[in-house]
Amino acid sequence: MIAHVRSSLRLQRFEAVAVTLATVVIGGAVLITVVRLRAIGLSPDCWATVFGDASLSATRDACADPVQRFLELNESMASRLISAMAFLPLVIGLLLG
């Protein structure tokens, strides 16, 4: 069994390295994006004030800027990374299949 795994890995060395590298790069980009989104400091109260219940204590004007920055970063980075994470298993299957 181990001999089969070794010979398969030897034949598909480039594909295995490419898949590992792509996974690490996308995972690192996701972690960086999460840190940047959390650094904005958007509270659930601000989110609810802007998009939901206006009776909460947070004021709409104070919350507009953090919500806008969060939405811009989410639109520019997070949506692309989610698409890449959805597409990566297909690429892995095509390369190693």
Side-chain angles (χ1 to χ4, degrees), residues 7-55:
S7 65
S8 176
L9 185 60
R10 186 174 295 147
L11 289 172
Q12 298 177 341
R13 189 176 317 152
F14 170 76
E15 290 85 355
V17 170
V19 163
T20 304
L21 185 64
T23 304
V24 168
V25 167
I26 290 175
V30 167
L31 290 176
I32 290 170
T33 303
V34 166
V35 168
R36 289 180 64 192
L37 285 172
R38 288 192 179 177
I40 293 173
L42 181 65
S43 69
D45 289 339
C46 279
W47 190 267
T49 300
V50 173
F51 292 110
D53 188 11
S55 66

Side-chain angles (χ1 to χ4, degrees), residues 41-95:
L42 181 65
S43 69
D45 289 339
C46 279
W47 190 267
T49 300
V50 173
F51 292 110
D53 188 11
S55 66
L56 292 172
S57 62
T59 63
R60 184 178 290 271
D61 294 335
C63 294
D65 184 49
V67 168
Q68 183 64 30
R69 286 188 294 145
F70 183 90
L71 291 174
E72 286 173 359
L73 185 60
N74 187 45
E75 183 75 26
S76 65
M77 292 291 293
S79 61
R80 292 180 185 160
L81 289 172
I82 289 172
S83 299
M85 287 189 314
F87 187 64
L88 187 62
L90 175 65
V91 172
I92 291 171
L94 287 173
L95 285 175

